[in-house]
Amino acid sequence: MKPKVLIIVSNANSIGPNNRRTGIFLPEVAHPYAEFEKADYQIDFASLTGESPFLDALNLANDPENLKFLTGKGWEDMQKAAKISEVNVHIYDAVFIPGGLAPMVDMPENSELKKVIAEVYERNGLVGAVCHGPVSLLNVQLSDGTYLVNGKNIASFTTEEENNYAKADVPFDLQTALTEQGAIFHAAEAWSANIIADGNLVTGQNPASAKGVGEKMVAILESKNA
């Protein structure tokens, strides 16, 4: 059986005191999607509310994988994302959370999302996230009461990157928050590809890391399937 991947997306479309427009950052969903599609996996979408999510960075639509996502099945399916609380997550081998600023709005505390991530992780499923997507890992408690990120090697959008991108818009600094919950944080040069795998957890630093996160997730799923 080919692995099944659930991509979980934010429903937010604005952030911060100035209502900066946002959504899921296009290459951060399109590039991993392309890797899952290439591997012939079943790919489904869920969002926190079940409403149609939003996309950011449409100015990057001329990238081949971004364009394929927008004009093919990817964006069409993402617009029809199921409500996370109504999804049978037990059938999925992996969950993936793309970034963009949107997850910083509705994913830090969402209890249903935290429950799903903990369930997948504790049954040896794969959890992946990129850029601001690892905010979904914050406040995820495992059945022994510890934070999922505690003692784990993790990457996400860095403080250095945020200072030059959306410091005035985000409610908190993601690198700091992950570190405070015990994550062993790996920051590479700003805007460079940086993918960190720690067991069943795969995280990436920024948009340049999205393809690599998809590739690493496929490699791990293939090794599990071997």
Side-chain angles (χ1 to χ4, degrees):
M1 288 285 287
K2 283 285 186 183
K4 298 179 176 68
V5 179
L6 182 67
I7 300 178
I8 305 172
V9 295
S10 164
N11 290 103
N13 67 347
S14 68
I15 187 170
N18 298 311
N19 291 315
R20 176 173 172 163
R21 303 299 292 172
T22 188
I24 299 303
F25 205 74
L26 173 58
E28 292 175 19
V29 64
H31 289 194
Y33 182 94
E35 298 306 314
F36 303 146
E37 191 175 47
K38 208 185 301 177
D40 198 29
Y41 294 171
Q42 178 182 318
I43 313 164
D44 296 321
F45 286 90
S47 75
L48 301 192
T49 68
E51 298 164 285
S52 185
F54 297 82
L55 277 175
D56 194 8
L58 289 169
N59 57 307
L60 303 176
N62 58 349
D63 167 272
E65 284 171 348
N66 292 348
L67 186 62
K68 188 178 178 189
F69 181 85
L70 285 170
T71 58
K73 204 167 179 291
W75 174 227
E76 183 185 336
D77 286 351
M78 185 167 146
Q79 288 179 86
K80 298 181 289 195
K83 188 176 181 178
I84 187 72
S85 60
E86 295 170 2
V87 174
N88 176 13
V89 296
H90 307 288
I91 69 168
Y92 293 96
D93 303 280
V95 293
F96 170 68
I97 302 95
L101 290 171
M104 294 292 288
V105 178
D106 59 4
M107 288 192 170
E109 304 285 351
N110 186 281
S111 59
E112 191 65 38
L113 175 65
K114 307 304 163 182
K115 196 169 74 181
V116 165
I117 292 172
E119 189 278 325
V120 172
Y121 185 81
E122 291 200 296
R123 65 165 159 83
N124 205 30
L126 186 59
V127 176
V130 69
C131 198
H132 289 92
V135 71
S136 62
L137 307 176
L138 274 181
N139 304 312
V140 174
Q141 286 183 284
L142 303 177
S143 48
D144 64 2
T146 61
Y147 286 122
L148 185 153
V149 300
N150 186 37
K152 304 297 193 312
N153 294 288
I154 279 181
S156 80
F157 206 57
T158 65
T159 303
E160 181 188 359
E161 289 166 328
E162 199 70 271
N163 285 344
N164 295 302
Y165 182 65
K167 187 179 181 181
D169 303 297
V170 291
F172 57 87
D173 180 70
L174 183 53
Q175 177 178 340
T176 302
L178 288 165
T179 304
E180 284 173 350
Q181 289 194 357
I184 303 164
F185 197 91
H186 296 262
E189 185 184 342
W191 305 104
S192 67
N194 179 29
I195 297 95
I196 301 293
D198 188 337
N200 286 334
L201 194 59
V202 181
T203 49
Q205 181 169 320
N206 49 32
S209 312
K211 179 182 174 66
V213 168
E215 289 172 335
K216 178 58 76 175
M217 289 181 70
V218 168
I220 292 171
L221 288 167
E222 290 303 306
S223 68
K224 284 172 179 279
N225 248 18

